Amino acid sequence: MSSAQWNAGQAHGEAQAKTEEWVKSAQNTANKACDKMADSRESAQHGKEQSAGFIQQGAIDGVKNTLGINEKK
């Protein structure tokens, strides 16, 4: 094998290793982004549930006040 062939083979191997490294890095970045989206979605759902409970309680209190049966003095 000539020196040029050996150098070409070495360069090819290094390029392939670098490509695999980039692919793994991109996969890790994509996985982190997916995890953050899932966390954000869970947080938004929790906030939505809390808001709904607050609004419902306010509506119940409003009806009780209107009817004069609210226990708050």
Side-chain angles (χ1 to χ4, degrees):
M1 181 185 304
S2 73
S3 177
Q5 287 175 324
W6 187 83
N7 287 339
Q10 184 178 7
H12 176 74
E14 289 174 2
Q16 187 174 3
K18 195 65 166 173
T19 300
E20 289 173 6
E21 181 182 325
W22 287 340
V23 168
K24 286 180 184 179
S25 177
Q27 287 172 336
N28 287 339
T29 301
N31 287 337
K32 288 178 185 178
C34 288
D35 291 344
K36 284 185 180 184
M37 284 182 58
D39 291 345
S40 295
R41 192 174 305 134
E42 289 175 15
S43 179
Q45 181 63 32
H46 180 69
K48 181 180 174 184
E49 290 167 0
Q50 284 184 329
S51 295
F54 178 75
I55 291 170
Q56 286 176 340
Q57 187 61 45
I60 291 169
D61 289 343
V63 170
K64 286 181 178 180
N65 287 337
T66 301
L67 296 174
I69 59 173
N70 198 352
E71 296 179 8
K72 294 181 182 177
K73 304 268 180 179

